[in-house]
């Protein structure tokens, strides 16, 4: 089993950037496909992006395509989410998650505690 801890959230103005990190422990990160999800107040949690175990393949929700970039460093057991050109509608709690099937959002079983991202207009 893997334990996940997110960091890097905060308050940023619209158009700005943030970089989220997810540190894994307990099991080698390379075992898992990794994803980022988010949940805004009053809304259901939604898929943002995911990356395969090797990092060779990625997938993005249409709402973030071209603005967000997911990456991973298996040697350091970390996954990152670079968020550029942020919009107020990106405001949410962002969660890092792990799965054996990176591109099946319903398959994610291991979750971090979340980090708050707030984008002001």
């Amino acid at each position: 089993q893997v334990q996940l801890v997110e960091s890097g959230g905060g308050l940023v103005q619209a158009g700005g950037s943030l970089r989220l990190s997810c540190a894994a422990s307990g099991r080698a990160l390379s075992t898992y496909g990794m994803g980022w999800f988010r949940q805004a107040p009053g809304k259901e949690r939604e898929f943002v992006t995911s990356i395969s175990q090797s990092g060779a393949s990625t997938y993005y929700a249409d709402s973030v395509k071209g603005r967000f970039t997911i990456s991973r460093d298996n040697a350091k057991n970390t996954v990152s989410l670079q968020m550029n050109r942020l919009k107020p509608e990106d405001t949410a709690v962002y969660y890092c998650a792990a799965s054996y099937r990176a591109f099946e959002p319903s398959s994610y079983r291991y979750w971090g505690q979340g980090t708050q991202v707030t984008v002001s207009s």
Side-chain angles (χ1 to χ4, degrees):
Q1 189 168 342
V2 64
Q3 292 79 45
L4 304 170
V5 178
E6 303 96 334
S7 61
L11 174 64
V12 64
Q13 289 188 333
S17 298
L18 277 177
R19 186 176 181 87
L20 305 183
S21 293
C22 175
S25 61
R27 194 169 181 183
L29 195 66
S30 57
T31 303
Y32 301 97
M34 297 298 297
W36 287 93
F37 294 74
R38 66 187 181 186
Q39 186 166 20
K43 295 187 176 181
E44 292 187 355
R45 186 168 59 196
E46 65 174 359
F47 169 83
V48 176
T49 179
S50 60
I51 188 167
S52 61
Q53 280 83 337
S54 68
S57 299
T58 57
Y59 183 70
Y60 295 90
D62 288 344
S63 58
V64 306
K65 201 173 294 182
R67 299 188 298 123
F68 290 12
T69 303
I70 188 171
S71 61
R72 66 190 298 160
D73 186 335
N74 287 339
K76 295 182 178 179
N77 264 7
T78 59
V79 177
S80 297
L81 180 63
Q82 178 66 41
M83 305 185 294
N84 298 328
R85 291 184 283 135
L86 282 160
K87 304 175 181 180
E89 51 264 43
D90 294 318
T91 295
V93 177
Y94 282 71
Y95 297 91
C96 172
S99 169
Y100 292 113
R101 300 186 294 276
F103 304 114
E104 295 181 23
S106 62
S107 71
Y108 282 78
R109 292 292 178 263
Y110 305 105
W111 296 84
Q113 84 288 351
T115 185
Q116 176 70 46
V117 171
T118 303
V119 184
S120 63
S121 57

